[in-house]
Amino acid sequence: MSIEPNTVIQVQNLVAQYGDDLILDNISFDVAEGEIVVILGTSGSGKSTLLKHLIGLLQPHAGSIRINGMDIASADPDAQHNVFRDIGVLFQGSALFGSMTLAENVALPILEYANLPKDAVSRLVQMKLCQFDLLEYQAYMPSEISGGMKKRAGLARALALNPKILFLDEPTAGLDPVRSAEIDELVLKINASANTTMIIVTHELDSIFNIANRVIMIDKDKKGIIADGNPLYLKDHSPDPVVRQFFNRKLNLDSR
């Protein structure tokens, strides 16, 4: 199998099922180094299912997912461990552990993947919290901070080991427009400073137009990809009316 030199993720003929329920049928796409790719679609289209396959939480029914050339489903545990060390994940709702402080949450991937002395872990955690303006809240519990701060804390944890690939699940969901714009700015800053490859699941149009180099749109009925390209181009030029309707829905609402 040939892989382009700058391809970091390659999905080939992926089939995803829950029991006998077919969710995704034979989908394929590549992601290049440094790309910001948004996965979108209507509710139940398989966006989160695809993301869970990409981060190794679910196994493909058929097909393959390669990260840096390695099939993550068939690799041995040591190889998987090495690959996942270079991956950060911001789960929907941030998924912070409520019984742990922000500092303890951010320390989790460091303790899992890096063999560092305790003081080095502490310094690294403080650096990440400082990067997201959370250092003074390091002893706070997640229940004691705002939704926007939880998102930033989740990003701090996802970036604890400076991963080369970052997966974000609904990073602006539930936030007001100002806080959403702040998260978008953080995403762009991270991408620009470290050339971090990003796969983002979202349905927020403002965020999509602000941050995406490219979108992959999944259709629930077709169980596959119905659009792959730049969102500004697809908004006006996609041959599929479902795709054009999705990208123009805000304009339609504003014209009432």
Side-chain angles (χ1 to χ4, degrees), residues 101-162:
T101 66
L102 296 194
E104 289 169 338
N105 269 281
V106 175
L108 284 173
I110 304 172
L111 296 172
E112 172 69 20
Y113 290 103
N115 185 20
L116 296 174
K118 185 176 180 180
D119 60 338
V121 173
S122 179
R123 289 197 301 271
L124 188 52
V125 167
Q126 291 187 5
M127 287 173 56
K128 289 303 173 182
L129 289 171
C130 186
Q131 180 182 353
F132 292 94
D133 298 322
L134 291 169
L135 184 57
E136 63 183 289
Y137 302 98
Q138 62 179 313
Y140 280 55
M141 308 301 284
S143 61
E144 298 174 318
I145 61 175
S146 69
M149 293 169 71
K150 289 177 184 176
K151 295 285 187 180
R152 299 207 312 269
L155 273 171
R157 183 176 64 186
L159 291 164
L161 291 172
N162 299 319

Side-chain angles (χ1 to χ4, degrees), residues 12 29 47 52 80 88 121 125 139 150 165 167 177 230 248:
Q12 188 169 53
F29 63 90
K47 305 184 299 295
K52 289 175 182 176
Q80 287 180 339
V121 173
V125 167
K150 289 177 184 176
I165 304 171
F167 294 94
N230 182 278
N248 286 283

Side-chain angles (χ1 to χ4, degrees), residues 35-46:
E35 266 197 302
I36 300 178
V37 177
V38 168
I39 298 171
L40 53 87
T42 57
S43 178
S45 60

Side-chain angles (χ1 to χ4, degrees), residues 1-236:
M1 181 186 303
S2 63
I3 298 177
E4 293 298 321
N6 68 336
T7 296
V8 294
I9 299 173
Q10 185 177 55
V11 177
Q12 188 169 53
N13 303 323
L14 175 67
V15 177
Q17 293 186 197
Y18 293 117
D20 294 329
D21 188 11
L22 179 64
I23 307 299
L24 299 170
D25 187 17
N26 200 39
I27 68 170
S28 300
F29 63 90
D30 294 349
V31 178
E33 182 181 5
E35 266 197 302
I36 300 178
V37 177
V38 168
I39 298 171
L40 53 87
T42 57
S43 178
S45 60
K47 305 184 299 295
S48 293
T49 296
L50 176 56
L51 184 66
K52 289 175 182 176
H53 280 79
L54 291 172
I55 62 178
L57 292 180
L58 294 175
Q59 297 294 307
H61 182 77
S64 65
I65 298 170
R66 294 179 179 271
I67 297 180
N68 293 324
M70 189 196 74
D71 188 335
I72 61 172
S74 62
D76 64 68
D78 287 340
Q80 287 180 339
H81 189 275
N82 290 334
V83 166
F84 289 133
R85 187 209 177 282
D86 284 331
I87 291 174
V89 183
L90 173 65
F91 293 99
Q92 189 171 358
S94 301
L96 299 173
F97 288 94
S99 60
M100 295 181 175
T101 66
L102 296 194
E104 289 169 338
N105 269 281
V106 175
L108 284 173
I110 304 172
L111 296 172
E112 172 69 20
Y113 290 103
N115 185 20
L116 296 174
K118 185 176 180 180
D119 60 338
V121 173
S122 179
R123 289 197 301 271
L124 188 52
V125 167
Q126 291 187 5
M127 287 173 56
K128 289 303 173 182
L129 289 171
C130 186
Q131 180 182 353
F132 292 94
D133 298 322
L134 291 169
L135 184 57
E136 63 183 289
Y137 302 98
Q138 62 179 313
Y140 280 55
M141 308 301 284
S143 61
E144 298 174 318
I145 61 175
S146 69
M149 293 169 71
K150 289 177 184 176
K151 295 285 187 180
R152 299 207 312 269
L155 273 171
R157 183 176 64 186
L159 291 164
L161 291 172
N162 299 319
K164 297 176 182 177
I165 304 171
L166 190 60
F167 294 94
L168 308 176
D169 191 1
E170 300 285 2
T172 60
L175 300 182
D176 62 59
V178 173
R179 299 293 179 242
S180 294
E182 289 177 353
I183 296 297
D184 287 347
E185 289 175 9
L186 281 172
V187 166
L188 291 172
K189 183 179 179 181
I190 293 163
N191 175 259
S193 64
N195 198 36
T196 307
T197 305
M198 298 185 177
I199 309 294
I200 303 172
V201 172
T202 185
H203 63 277
E204 303 284 348
L205 274 183
D206 287 341
S207 289
I208 292 168
F209 289 129
N210 284 339
I211 66 177
N213 304 134
R214 176 177 154 221
V215 299
I216 293 172
M217 188 169 184
I218 301 172
D219 183 74
K220 181 178 180 180
D221 295 327
K222 295 182 179 179
K223 304 185 187 303
I225 297 171
I226 60 171
D228 185 343
N230 182 278
L232 290 173
Y233 179 84
L234 293 171
K235 180 173 76 71
D236 296 321

